[in-house]
Amino acid sequence: MYKFIICFIAGIGAGLGTGFAGMSAAAVISPMLITFLDIEAYEAVGIALASDVLASAISAWTYGKNKNLDIKNGLVMMAAVLVFTLVGSYTANQISNTTMGSFSVFMTLLLGIKFIVKPVMTTKESMNVVSGRRRVIQSLLSGTVVGFICGFIGAGGGMMMLLILTSVLGYELKTAVGTSVFIMTFTAFTGAVSHMAIGGLPDPACLLFCVLSTLLWARIAARFANKASAATLNRATGVVLAVLGIAIISVNYLR
């Protein structure tokens, strides 16, 4: 029962973060499982990535159904992310991840505050002013940066994508989140398969509980996000990210 409660709570945070902001479930689930269930870090990350796959997929489907998804440029960015994640991982091979790992945690908190204080009010009309060719080039360059950072520090891909899509590429918030979860579906699947191929299957109960809880809450968050106004979504996204950032910092402190 204790295991179920921890996994369910972890799934709530991961699902809300995914559905609202395209956040990676690994940022929430991994520290929860490591701290409260004494699961090894590698196994915990594998469970988190597996939870991310379906949660991101259902979120992407919901955003896509509401026409808040840029598949063409998302595929370009995804290709660059996957390639340069490997480059970043290779570069960081001899550098301690302990120091760099806290980057994504503080970034979650700061990004949440950013959405509350300075909301993204870009419209689809202004977003579509950019030419298709320029958007493809921007997506390729942005994917390169996100992939390298993600591989270098081992986390933060979802947050980096959301920040770059809204602040650099000028995406409207819903389209930014939809495109982010679309990309995260494939990156999480790649990560989950590689983790399980190398480390074996994780605890079946934890895996099942985390996947189902994350899927449920990601679906709820994505449906709410697509019906909300831009102002409401900015506030909700900001609050969710800020609360998750504080919670993850607290959990890491306990650990």
Side-chain angles (χ1 to χ4, degrees), residues 181-241:
V181 290
F182 172 72
I183 296 170
M184 289 301 294
T185 302
F186 297 94
T187 56
F189 178 77
T190 303
V193 169
S194 63
H195 262 70
M196 292 183 191
I198 295 170
L201 290 175
D203 183 312
C206 279
L207 178 63
L208 180 63
F209 294 156
C210 285
V211 167
L212 292 179
S213 180
T214 306
L215 178 63
L216 170 65
W217 289 98
R219 173 66 171 151
I220 292 171
R223 290 188 68 179
F224 173 83
N226 278 277
K227 292 179 180 178
S229 66
T232 301
L233 181 58
N234 271 277
R235 281 195 218 100
T237 303
V239 169
V240 167
L241 290 177

Side-chain angles (χ1 to χ4, degrees), residues 87-99:
V87 175
S89 297
Y90 178 78
T91 305
N93 189 41
Q94 297 182 357
I95 301 176
S96 171
N97 279 330
T98 306
T99 304

Side-chain angles (χ1 to χ4, degrees), residues 148-167:
F148 183 82
I149 293 175
C150 185
F152 192 69
I153 68 169
M159 290 296 90
M160 282 299 301
M161 273 189 280
L162 184 62
L163 179 63
I164 287 179
L165 286 169
T166 53
S167 300

Side-chain angles (χ1 to χ4, degrees), residues 41-238:
Y42 196 84
E43 182 180 356
V45 172
I47 291 173
L49 288 169
S51 302
D52 224 351
V53 176
L54 290 180
S56 294
I58 194 66
S59 298
W61 180 80
T62 304
Y63 279 91
K65 188 173 71 170
N66 288 276
K67 295 180 170 48
N68 293 315
L69 172 59
D70 184 358
I71 294 179
K72 177 185 173 183
N73 294 299
L75 288 171
V76 173
M77 184 179 287
M78 180 179 69
V81 168
L82 291 174
V83 170
F84 279 88
T85 295
L86 297 176
V87 175
S89 297
Y90 178 78
T91 305
N93 189 41
Q94 297 182 357
I95 301 176
S96 171
N97 279 330
T98 306
T99 304
M100 298 181 293
S102 60
F103 172 82
S104 62
V105 176
F106 287 102
M107 184 176 171
T108 300
L109 175 59
L110 294 176
L111 196 55
I113 295 172
K114 185 261 182 193
F115 279 118
I116 296 172
V117 176
K118 190 178 180 182
V120 176
M121 301 304 290
T122 307
T123 63
K124 285 189 177 180
E125 289 73 21
S126 61
M127 186 184 94
N128 291 329
V129 169
V130 179
S131 68
R133 182 171 178 273
R134 182 180 175 187
R135 183 70 78 196
V136 168
I137 294 172
Q138 288 178 328
S139 298
L140 186 61
L141 293 175
S142 299
T144 299
V145 173
V146 171
F148 183 82
I149 293 175
C150 185
F152 192 69
I153 68 169
M159 290 296 90
M160 282 299 301
M161 273 189 280
L162 184 62
L163 179 63
I164 287 179
L165 286 169
T166 53
S167 300
V168 179
L169 300 187
Y171 272 59
E172 174 259 345
L173 183 56
K174 291 181 184 179
T175 306
V177 176
T179 305
S180 178
V181 290
F182 172 72
I183 296 170
M184 289 301 294
T185 302
F186 297 94
T187 56
F189 178 77
T190 303
V193 169
S194 63
H195 262 70
M196 292 183 191
I198 295 170
L201 290 175
D203 183 312
C206 279
L207 178 63
L208 180 63
F209 294 156
C210 285
V211 167
L212 292 179
S213 180
T214 306
L215 178 63
L216 170 65
W217 289 98
R219 173 66 171 151
I220 292 171
R223 290 188 68 179
F224 173 83
N226 278 277
K227 292 179 180 178
S229 66
T232 301
L233 181 58
N234 271 277
R235 281 195 218 100
T237 303

